[in-house]
Amino acid sequence: MNREPIRMAELILLAARRRALKKAIFSKPDQREQLKTVVTLRAVGGREVLQAECFTADNKAIHKNLTVEEATDALALLASSHGQVNLLTTAGDCELRRSKNGERFTLLGDEKLERRLRADAVEALSVEGNDRGKQRILSGNEPFLRHLGVSDQNGRIHDKKQAKFRQINRFLEMIRDCLPSLPAEGVLRICDLCCGKSYLSFAAYHYFVNVLGREVRMTGVDLKPDVVEHCNTVAKELGFLGLEFLCGDVSQYDAGGRVHLVISLHACDIATDLVLERAVRWGADVILSTPCCHHELNHKINCAPLRLVTDHSMLRQKLCDAVTDALRLKFLESRGYAVSALELIDPDETPKNIMLRGLRRPDFDPDSPAARRALEEYLSAREFFTGGTSDVQEILHPSVRG
């Protein structure tokens, strides 16, 4: 057997042992009756296994469980019988490709991924069981889900709201992961900026008050008066006394003091930057923001070395999406936050699935060499992509030198 499929199998197992495995996708199979096989880490019968789910051309899914200790040979054999394997982890990705004649394999990104997987700071994922419903924070019976039209009176999630229900649960799981960064006692101050229909506002309030038993004072802010009025009515009907909604511009909203948690889902374009600027100004302990569209940099990008990309509109947009969010993370880092870009939900359900997470470092010293270096990296990167265009710099982010 070629060495590359064995190497890919070893990387999949390493990712599984570090609990960093998102999934491994085996595509272009030799057997025509198969479509693809997806391998994930699952908890079955009290132990962790690698679950291979094979999708066939007649719309069937065949499952096979492999123990982590014994899976090397099976995964290597599986890899050698497919034309392409993509390994996705919290530390990065790598890809195995097979030549058309089937004689040569090429493995891309394996060395860099292995270094990251062996690093102490690799992000670990929670391992789900086969009955995923039992792992979710919400069941569907929660009154706020019925009021918002996500579920019916029997707690059944409406078919058209299944993706929204998964999104809400995933967001709550991310909040749960951040609990060590929030105060353990006292009143929690939370803001949902550009809250829209406020699915997350109600979900977060329910989670902290009804599940964790915390006292919460929470405010949702949005520009649409009718939406704000409706959300206030629902909050009153649910008896959510600590939850209020205000109509106004996020950039002008004054929270009246310290805020512990700032959340935002799909704030459009520069509204995400306004959300992050407010959160930093308030010294929020945790920031969770999922951006929506990324138009501003796309209109203003001015970077001669990248003309081979920016001359093509579709490629330019993809580049600007990634660069904008990377600048946002570097901005947060320069202001004392440990940052991550995480996957909120399956990209097949929505392409707007990147979660920007910032956890405030209590020991942050703005005058330290590390802080100054992060600030200079941010300013340098911003100038590189914008060519020094002042209006873009004012948007991304005016308070950075403050």
Side-chain angles (χ1 to χ4, degrees), residues 3-266:
R3 171 59 189 164
E4 289 80 3
I6 298 175
R7 168 76 166 156
M8 174 57 84
E10 292 171 346
L11 287 173
I12 294 172
L13 288 173
L14 175 59
R17 292 190 179 99
R18 298 305 306 274
R19 289 193 171 182
L21 176 64
K22 292 181 179 178
K23 55 187 172 181
I25 305 170
F26 297 75
S27 53
K28 302 179 183 178
D30 293 342
Q31 299 183 30
R32 293 184 178 181
E33 64 272 16
Q34 296 181 1
L35 298 177
K36 66 177 180 180
T37 297
V38 179
V39 173
T40 53
L41 187 63
R42 289 283 180 262
V44 178
R47 63 174 182 171
E48 294 182 4
V49 300
L50 286 166
Q51 186 173 91
E53 186 175 20
C54 177
F55 298 90
T56 63
D58 57 354
N59 295 320
K60 293 181 180 179
I62 303 171
H63 295 83
K64 184 176 181 179
N65 295 330
L66 307 169
T67 63
V68 175
E69 295 77 16
E70 303 171 350
T72 303
D73 292 342
L75 290 173
L77 184 61
L78 189 65
S80 65
S81 64
H82 285 73
Q84 182 174 327
V85 183
N86 292 89
L87 172 58
L88 310 181
T89 79
T90 61
D93 309 332
C94 74
E95 182 177 80
L96 177 68
R97 297 176 184 172
R98 187 178 61 183
S99 62
K100 291 184 178 180
N101 61 17
E103 296 179 356
R104 184 169 57 87
F105 287 87
T106 303
L107 189 55
L108 305 173
D110 56 313
E111 293 182 358
K112 183 177 182 180
L113 176 59
E114 182 176 15
R115 287 196 301 270
R116 290 181 172 178
L117 286 172
R118 294 190 183 280
D120 293 337
V122 64
E123 180 189 354
L125 298 172
S126 58
V127 180
E128 294 184 344
N130 273 357
D131 187 359
R132 297 184 186 182
K134 294 183 179 180
Q135 304 297 318
R136 288 175 173 158
I137 294 175
L138 303 177
S139 65
N141 284 313
E142 292 76 11
F144 80 89
L145 291 175
R146 295 197 292 271
H147 274 73
L148 297 177
V150 177
S151 64
D152 61 22
Q153 295 301 314
N154 297 317
R156 178 187 174 276
I157 305 301
H158 296 299
D159 292 341
K160 292 184 178 180
K161 294 295 184 179
Q162 291 286 342
K164 175 60 68 175
F165 180 65
R166 289 192 291 271
Q167 183 187 72
I168 294 171
N169 267 290
R170 177 61 178 147
F171 206 104
L172 291 183
E173 289 171 359
M174 289 184 163
I175 290 178
R176 181 175 60 192
D177 292 341
C178 297
L179 290 179
S181 297
L182 294 171
E185 299 178 347
V187 179
L188 280 176
R189 182 73 173 98
I190 305 174
C191 287
D192 184 355
L193 303 183
C194 303
C195 59
K197 294 182 179 180
S198 304
Y199 292 102
L200 297 186
S201 298
F202 289 103
Y205 186 88
H206 165 82
Y207 177 61
F208 280 108
V209 174
N210 297 330
V211 177
L212 300 183
R214 297 295 302 272
E215 184 178 355
V216 170
R217 187 163 71 90
M218 185 170 184
T219 305
V221 182
D222 199 84
L223 283 171
K224 299 178 181 179
D226 56 334
V227 172
V228 169
E229 181 180 1
H230 172 72
C231 290
N232 275 319
T233 299
V234 173
K236 185 176 181 180
E237 291 174 351
L238 290 167
F240 286 6
L241 303 180
L243 176 60
E244 65 173 353
F245 296 90
L246 302 177
C247 183
D249 187 338
V250 165
S251 66
Q252 303 300 318
Y253 173 63
D254 182 2
R258 179 72 177 279
V259 176
H260 302 112
L261 171 62
V262 172
I263 62 176
S264 181
L265 179 66
H266 295 162

Side-chain angles (χ1 to χ4, degrees), residues 152-388:
D152 61 22
Q153 295 301 314
N154 297 317
R156 178 187 174 276
I157 305 301
H158 296 299
D159 292 341
K160 292 184 178 180
K161 294 295 184 179
Q162 291 286 342
K164 175 60 68 175
F165 180 65
R166 289 192 291 271
Q167 183 187 72
I168 294 171
N169 267 290
R170 177 61 178 147
F171 206 104
L172 291 183
E173 289 171 359
M174 289 184 163
I175 290 178
R176 181 175 60 192
D177 292 341
C178 297
L179 290 179
S181 297
L182 294 171
E185 299 178 347
V187 179
L188 280 176
R189 182 73 173 98
I190 305 174
C191 287
D192 184 355
L193 303 183
C194 303
C195 59
K197 294 182 179 180
S198 304
Y199 292 102
L200 297 186
S201 298
F202 289 103
Y205 186 88
H206 165 82
Y207 177 61
F208 280 108
V209 174
N210 297 330
V211 177
L212 300 183
R214 297 295 302 272
E215 184 178 355
V216 170
R217 187 163 71 90
M218 185 170 184
T219 305
V221 182
D222 199 84
L223 283 171
K224 299 178 181 179
D226 56 334
V227 172
V228 169
E229 181 180 1
H230 172 72
C231 290
N232 275 319
T233 299
V234 173
K236 185 176 181 180
E237 291 174 351
L238 290 167
F240 286 6
L241 303 180
L243 176 60
E244 65 173 353
F245 296 90
L246 302 177
C247 183
D249 187 338
V250 165
S251 66
Q252 303 300 318
Y253 173 63
D254 182 2
R258 179 72 177 279
V259 176
H260 302 112
L261 171 62
V262 172
I263 62 176
S264 181
L265 179 66
H266 295 162
C268 188
D269 201 16
I270 63 171
T272 292
D273 299 287
L274 300 177
V275 168
L276 299 182
E277 192 275 334
R278 290 281 98 180
V280 168
R281 184 183 295 271
W282 298 330
D285 296 298
V286 175
I287 304 170
L288 296 175
S289 176
T290 299
C292 186
C293 49
H294 302 71
H295 297 315
E296 185 63 26
L297 185 59
N298 190 15
H299 296 321
K300 305 293 185 180
I301 191 168
N302 181 20
C303 184
L306 294 177
R307 284 284 301 277
L308 78 164
V309 178
T310 59
D311 281 350
H312 306 279
S313 59
M314 183 176 294
L315 299 180
R316 184 176 67 246
Q317 183 61 66
K318 291 181 179 293
L319 172 67
C320 290
D321 288 357
V323 169
T324 298
D325 286 340
L327 283 171
R328 288 164 172 164
L329 291 175
K330 183 57 69 172
F331 165 70
L332 292 178
E333 186 180 345
S334 73
R335 307 301 281 179
Y337 286 81
V339 298
S340 301
L342 309 171
E343 186 177 73
L344 174 62
I345 199 168
D346 194 312
D348 290 340
E349 295 187 358
T350 173
K352 309 299 182 182
N353 71 324
I354 301 299
M355 166 72 75
L356 306 181
R357 184 180 71 183
L359 305 177
R360 189 175 64 87
R361 302 203 309 264
D363 58 344
F364 175 69
D365 178 5
D367 297 322
S368 68
R372 291 197 298 269
R373 184 167 58 252
L375 176 59
E376 290 306 316
E377 288 175 355
Y378 167 72
L379 295 172
S380 176
R382 189 176 66 179
E383 183 172 357
F384 174 76
F385 287 103
T386 65

